[in-house]
Amino acid sequence: MRKASAIFLLAFAAGCTTMRDRLAGAQSVREVAQAAADFYVADGGDDTCVVGVVRGESGEPVFACAGGADEHSLYRIASLSKMFLYPILFQLHADGRLDLDRPVAAYSKLKLPPECARVTLRDLVENKSGLPREFMTPWNPVDMFTAFRCGFVGSHIYADFDTRERFAREIWRPRWRAALRKGGNVYSNVGFGLLGMAVEDALGRDLETILHDELTGPHHFEDTTYFPHGDQTNRLTRACAGHLPWFIRRRHEVPDHRLGEALRATGGLFSSASDCLLFFRSCWPLVDAYIKDRPLESYPDEAVYGLLRVHVLPNGRRIVYRAGMIYGGASFVGYDPSTRTLVVILRNVTSWPDRRGFDVMERLDALR
């Protein structure tokens, strides 16, 4: 019986088209991008996908689309949202309008525990506050029930924490206070939510206004917003099931949850491949400065690297990347400092952070 099962699985696997299969015959940047987009929709079961690639800081953007989307379709970009705030905050700091080295309690209007006195805005930006990744406590029965319920039916995993009042209540929990006392380098949605609210309080403007005044307006990004409106709503992709929720078939619509004021900074942006490629290309100087201060060679595979992570390609070279996931959206951005290659992948499905973007970057590296 076991032998028969093994033969069946091997035969099944042999008939599957993988990302590497799609990429194997690609001989140009455009072919690589199109092969990746086609894989996600034709083979991976996604609803739509757009892949953007640019080589060099002045290179021409290349877009590949599948499933009826185009480079101006709006996607939920999840944790890539954090990256859009990064240059804004450092420019505000350089201009003297915001001091990233002041404690968050000096700006926030929330009632924060005394442990926050040692945490600066810079600590929150660079994931050095020690605050945990998520609001839920591992193995807490109530939290685990919430997580599984969300996984099965697609309910809002952050609903119990997504207002200022609830956030202020939760941050006094012993686990959070202990994490603040311990400190450390931990990728934290909790911390970035606190950062977003503190910046709003410091500047007296909401995140949408800050984003427009400091970035999207001056640089003419037409597709990036926390609140799609007007023509943007006509280009908004559906929120669909991918790997999650488990009880909803792939490509079928899921609840379109919008993050509230306490968590909007962590992953509430909508954007297009066109805007993302323009924006992330403009961030090369920031990436280069970060690498100069923190040489990539000293970081192991999957190490937290500010708002990014490090990945070691099969040939030993290191790239930096960020992946995101939210109900109705999955996203990936990768920087290859050696080839000056930037890759953006946007999908309108709920899927775990996807590692197949590394296959795309590996193939692009082979085309040098």
Side-chain angles (χ1 to χ4, degrees), residues 101-179:
D101 297 309
R102 291 192 70 188
V104 63
Y107 288 119
S108 177
K109 294 180 181 179
L110 298 179
K111 182 182 179 182
L112 300 175
E115 288 83 356
C116 283
R118 57 159 292 277
V119 177
T120 65
L121 297 185
R122 191 184 299 273
D123 290 333
L124 296 173
V125 170
E126 297 187 350
N127 289 305
K128 294 180 179 178
S129 69
L131 283 168
R133 178 186 177 96
E134 302 294 357
F135 298 80
M136 297 182 175
T137 303
W139 311 120
N140 177 294
V142 175
D143 287 350
M144 290 302 97
F145 173 77
T146 300
F148 278 105
R149 182 190 67 210
C150 296
F152 281 117
V153 300
S155 53
H156 192 350
I157 195 170
Y158 292 135
D160 292 339
F161 316 99
D162 208 8
T163 67
R164 283 176 169 255
E165 293 76 14
R166 289 174 176 174
F167 188 103
R169 179 194 67 203
E170 292 295 325
I171 202 169
W172 282 82
R173 290 172 63 175
R175 173 177 175 249
W176 289 29
R177 297 182 67 178

Side-chain angles (χ1 to χ4, degrees), residues 259-276:
L259 294 178
E261 58 185 346
L263 291 171
R264 193 164 290 131
T266 70
L269 270 183
F270 296 79
S271 191
S272 67
S274 176
D275 272 12
C276 280

Side-chain angles (χ1 to χ4, degrees), residues 327-350:
Y327 276 113
S331 54
F332 173 90
V333 60
Y335 289 93
D336 186 339
S338 296
T339 61
R340 310 303 286 179
T341 298
L342 169 66
V343 174
V344 171
I345 302 174
L346 302 181
R347 304 153 60 203
N348 68 322
V349 299
T350 310

Side-chain angles (χ1 to χ4, degrees), residues 41-42 46 155 174 307 331:
V41 173
D46 282 6
S155 53
L307 290 182
S331 54

Side-chain angles (χ1 to χ4, degrees), residues 83 86 125-128 185 187 286-300 302-311 319-322 337:
M83 297 289 291
Y86 196 89
V125 170
E126 297 187 350
N127 289 305
K128 294 180 179 178
N185 196 18
Y187 179 80
L286 291 172
V287 174
D288 290 339
Y290 209 85
I291 291 173
K292 183 178 179 181
D293 291 339
R294 304 163 181 82
L296 278 176
E297 292 74 17
S298 62
Y299 284 80
E302 294 307 307
V304 174
Y305 195 71
L307 290 182
L308 299 165
R309 282 187 178 271
V310 176
H311 178 71
I319 64 170
V320 289
Y321 77 97
R322 175 79 258 152

Side-chain angles (χ1 to χ4, degrees), residues 12 25 37 62 64-65 85 87 94 99 114 173 179 206 213 219 221 229 261 267 293 338 345 356:
F12 178 79
V62 173
C65 311
L85 282 180
D99 187 351
R173 290 172 63 175
D206 60 34
D213 292 348
H219 294 281
F221 293 161
H229 59 280
E261 58 185 346
D293 291 339
S338 296
I345 302 174
R356 286 170 293 199

